Amino acid sequence: DRLPRINDATRPDTPDKICTTVPPALAFFYGGLVDRKNVLNQLFLSFICMGIVFLQWVLFGFSFAFGPPISAGFGSFKWAVLRFGEIDNDVYSPTYPLLTFAAYHGTFAIITPALISGAIVGRMKLIPYMIFIFIWTTVCYDPMANWVWGSSGWLKHLGTLDFAGGTVVHILSGVSGLVASLILGKRSDYDPHSTIDHNLPFTILGTLLLWVGWSGFNGGSANGAE
């Protein structure tokens, strides 16, 4: 009786580990395309998401996104600090622990603001960015994840299908990056004639790592490792 259980638990756990390559991949991908003076800023903007967003996700982000709903648009604090033990969930994780599901979707939450960093590199310092991504994840990402993926999400009940984050991750981060760049305005020291790629091998390495990470997104979204 235990063997199928262990096998089921490892299937979504494998993509979870694969997806953790995406923030470093974005750091290399974006870092290779920016000016030399901005490369460290870009690396930190990508990597810091793994700390700030992970903390937010554990404290209350997962509960906001997938917890027992208080309305058709928001979760609750019932699962804050991951207070659901090792239980399974008939909706989200019928054959493996809910904690595995939370860890897997935590990688989505981390990657989404990391995508925004490419639009604001050189425009925002690290500390304001840390505050921004904590608030943005709470106000923007968690509700959107609930609407599209949550059991009571209103977009889900309208028939919205989002496989591996097309809406929750990519559309949301793209629109947010555009709005953030418009609000922040042009870089104060921007010179289009002096802008050159810092390190194209960095970008190629980041692309290869992204390919690996995408396989984790697709496999995990199907509740499988393959």
Side-chain angles (χ1 to χ4, degrees), residues 98-159:
L98 186 58
L99 184 61
T100 302
F101 178 86
Y104 172 68
H105 273 275
T107 61
F108 282 77
I110 291 169
I111 291 161
T112 308
L115 288 169
I116 300 174
S117 66
I120 60 177
V121 60
R123 292 184 170 99
M124 183 179 287
K125 294 183 178 180
L126 185 61
I127 299 301
Y129 176 74
M130 292 168 63
I131 298 172
F132 164 73
I133 61 174
F134 188 92
I135 296 174
W136 181 89
T137 304
T138 303
V139 175
C140 296
Y141 180 85
D142 295 342
M144 180 63 75
N146 181 278
W147 297 345
V148 176
W149 289 328
S151 59
S152 62
W154 64 275
L155 286 176
K156 181 177 182 178
H157 287 288
L158 287 177

Side-chain angles (χ1 to χ4, degrees), residues 33 54 74 158 170 199 225:
L33 294 174
F54 176 78
F74 297 96
L158 287 177
H170 296 291
N199 192 327

